[in-house]
């Protein structure tokens, strides 16, 4: 009897704790660094991890660099080997606080929030502030954000030969539904 009661208590405790975080391993991160009149420089990563901790208003996003997919294999190879050096810096991580966030106020209507945090990419970290749209959907909590990143902020060197073919500012999009 004691063992059964203990198991029920542990299960209930873990169920309650599990509801304190929302998470997905299928967040989509797109980026584009295209310049008009040149080859499109665009990639997508559909395996991003997002974790939302409502009690602390913390949002964490992690992407494995090698999971970015390009239309052309050669671009993907250059991206991983020459620009981002994914063998040395295998992932990008953002950890930030959602300002004025309260889960009780999240409903089916999109609300815009400011998120301020630290982005770690290519061995460098930088404090960034982004805007995000957050709402409740049947599957959980949805977040959508679009923001620019400067390659110089993360010491990403673009060779002189292709410097005019790749934007110095990378437009980045994040979309995820956390359960």
């Amino acid at each position: 009897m004691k063992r059964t009661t203990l198991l029920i208590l542990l299960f209930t405790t873990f169920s309650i704790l599990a509801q304190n975080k929302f998470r997905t391993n299928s967040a989509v991160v797109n980026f584009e660094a295209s310049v008009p009149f040149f080859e499109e420089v665009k990639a997508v990563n559909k395996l991003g991890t997002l974790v939302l901790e409502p009690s602390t208003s913390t949002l964490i996003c992690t992407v494995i660099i090698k999971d970015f997919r390009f239309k052309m294999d050669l671009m993907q190879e250059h991206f991983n080997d020459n620009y981002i050096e994914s063998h040395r810096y295998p992932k990008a991580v953002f950890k930030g606080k959602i300002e004025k966030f309260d889960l009780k106020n999240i409903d089916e209507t999109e609300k815009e929030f400011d998120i301020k945090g630290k982005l770690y990419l290519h061995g460098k970290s930088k404090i960034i502030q982004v805007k995000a749209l957050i709402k409740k959907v049947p599957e959980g909590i949805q977040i959508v954000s679009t923001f620019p990143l400067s390659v110089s902020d993360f010491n990403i060197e673009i060779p002189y030969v292709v410097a005019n073919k790749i934007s110095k500012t990378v437009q980045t999009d994040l979309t995820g539904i956390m359960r």
Side-chain angles (χ1 to χ4, degrees):
M1 181 70 167
K2 287 181 184 180
R3 189 175 289 193
T4 304
T5 305
L6 180 61
L7 286 174
I8 291 171
L9 182 62
L10 284 173
F11 179 73
T12 305
T13 303
F14 285 124
S15 296
I16 291 170
L17 288 175
Q19 294 173 350
N20 288 336
K21 289 184 183 182
F22 291 85
R23 176 187 183 97
T24 184
N25 291 320
S26 59
V28 178
V29 179
N30 293 295
F31 76 79
E32 183 167 6
S34 301
V35 173
F37 309 115
F38 289 103
E39 191 74 44
E40 180 180 68
V41 180
K42 198 173 184 179
V44 63
N45 183 328
K46 296 180 180 179
L47 300 171
T49 299
L50 274 175
V51 177
L52 170 64
E53 298 175 357
S55 62
T56 61
S57 303
T58 300
L59 181 73
I60 302 167
C61 178
T62 304
V63 292
I64 303 300
I65 299 299
K66 284 189 176 188
D67 289 337
F68 278 100
R69 299 291 171 243
F70 291 76
K71 278 198 300 189
M72 296 173 52
D73 290 340
L74 188 58
M75 258 188 210
Q76 188 165 324
E77 185 181 324
H78 286 297
F79 170 78
N80 281 302
D81 295 344
N82 304 331
Y83 301 113
I84 297 293
E85 302 172 276
S86 58
H87 59 284
R88 290 180 64 195
Y89 312 109
K91 60 185 169 181
V93 179
F94 173 80
K95 183 175 182 180
K97 294 277 187 186
I98 306 171
E99 295 177 8
K100 300 177 185 167
F101 180 82
D102 189 340
L103 188 59
K104 291 182 288 192
N105 298 329
I106 302 300
D107 56 25
E108 291 77 21
T109 305
E110 267 183 350
K111 293 179 179 63
E112 186 176 81
F113 291 91
D114 288 321
I115 305 174
K116 184 176 183 180
K118 187 181 283 191
L119 174 63
Y120 178 80
L121 173 68
H122 194 244
K124 302 292 174 200
S125 62
K126 179 174 174 46
I127 301 290
I128 63 170
Q129 185 156 346
V130 301
K131 297 211 178 284
L133 298 172
I134 300 175
K135 71 177 181 177
K136 190 179 288 184
V137 294
E139 301 86 5
I141 304 292
Q142 176 183 299
I143 184 167
V144 176
S145 183
T146 299
F147 51 94
L149 293 175
S150 174
V151 294
S152 64
D153 287 343
F154 299 97
N155 289 352
I156 299 169
E157 294 183 28
I158 300 174
Y160 179 76
V161 176
V162 293
N164 62 340
K165 297 178 182 180
I166 300 173
S167 177
K168 310 289 183 278
T169 302
V170 178
Q171 196 58 37
T172 309
D173 301 313
L174 166 70
T175 305
I177 297 176
M178 299 166 282
R179 294 167 184 64

